[in-house]
Amino acid sequence: GENVEQHPSTLSVQEGDSAVIKCTYSDSASNYFPWYKQELGKRPQLIIDIRSNVGEKKDQRIAVTLNKTAKHFSLHITETQPEDSAVYFCAANGWGKFQFGAGTQVVVTP
Amino acid sequence: NAGVTQTPKFQVLKTGQSMTLQCAQDMNHEYMSWYRQDPGMGLRLIHYSVGAGITDQGEVPNGYNVSRSTTEDFPLRLLSAAPSQTSVYFCASSSSGTDNTEAFFGQGTRLTVV
């Protein structure tokens, strides 16, 4: 079955710096890769996603890259702000079944 | 369009009690799933369903039952609650097949078993 590994587990950055979170997956059939942000006590919310026929996608300060050959995908947050502090999850999906990474606790210090 | 509705929001059970967590979606999604979230453990898949009448086990199914009699509803039953089942539970739904979409999550149920 699918296995998604996510690194790092915690990430502390200064406000204005960039944050990068990396994930790897094992199932070659995976074709959809969403990223979720979860604030304390809230449900996970989608922030960006990428499909297997695309190598990179950007939405304002957030970007995601996908390397299908290496089975790697990454989340990049530029110009971090205190409100970016949260837990971020990557996921891989093939034919409906999601497998989530273990999550990255991001702390942005002013 | 309410999305995914999950009830209750909080629940305290005594060891050995049973209960059902309710989940309903109004987006006509084929795929529904239940996750538990423990500190530092991420989201672990309990059971999932790819359509009405079809369910399958996830990563941590022991102690839980599910059924899918309609497209909209996917209840999770705890048969005999144990302290190890203290966790936050999320229901999620998504479309499936070749045109995958994001998973939409319910608000979560914080369950404490004493």
Side-chain angles (χ1 to χ4, degrees), chain B residues 67-104:
Chain B
S67 59
R68 185 95 179 269
S69 56
T70 66
T71 299
E72 293 78 19
D73 300 296
F74 190 45
L76 177 73
R77 297 181 189 85
L78 278 71
L79 309 172
S80 177
S84 61
Q85 294 179 303
T86 294
S87 188
V88 178
Y89 293 83
F90 286 100
C91 176
S93 76
S94 63
S95 68
S96 61
T98 56
D99 189 23
N100 293 327
T101 66
E102 66 178 283
F104 292 83

Side-chain angles (χ1 to χ4, degrees), chain A residues 96, chain B residues 29-34 45 47-57 66-71 73-74 92-94 96:
Chain B
H29 284 162
E30 305 94 336
Y31 189 85
M32 296 185 74
S33 52
W34 278 101
L45 182 64
H47 285 284
Y48 66 99
S49 169
V50 299
I54 306 169
T55 64
D56 204 349
Q57 296 181 353
V66 292
S67 59
R68 185 95 179 269
S69 56
T70 66
T71 299
D73 300 296
F74 190 45
S93 76
S94 63
S96 61

Side-chain angles (χ1 to χ4, degrees), chain A residues 67-83:
Chain A
N67 183 330
K68 277 211 75 177
T69 303
K71 297 194 181 82
H72 290 172
F73 58 116
S74 300
L75 177 72
H76 304 253
I77 306 173
T78 59
E79 300 171 24
T80 54
Q81 301 168 3
E83 52 265 37

Side-chain angles (χ1 to χ4, degrees), chain A residues 31 36 38 43 51 93 96, chain B residues 31 37 98 100-103 105:
Chain A
N31 59 5
Y36 288 83
Q38 186 180 27
R43 73 188 84 185
R51 298 187 184 276
N93 183 309
Chain B
Y31 189 85
Q37 186 174 34
T98 56
N100 293 327
T101 66
E102 66 178 283
F105 286 87

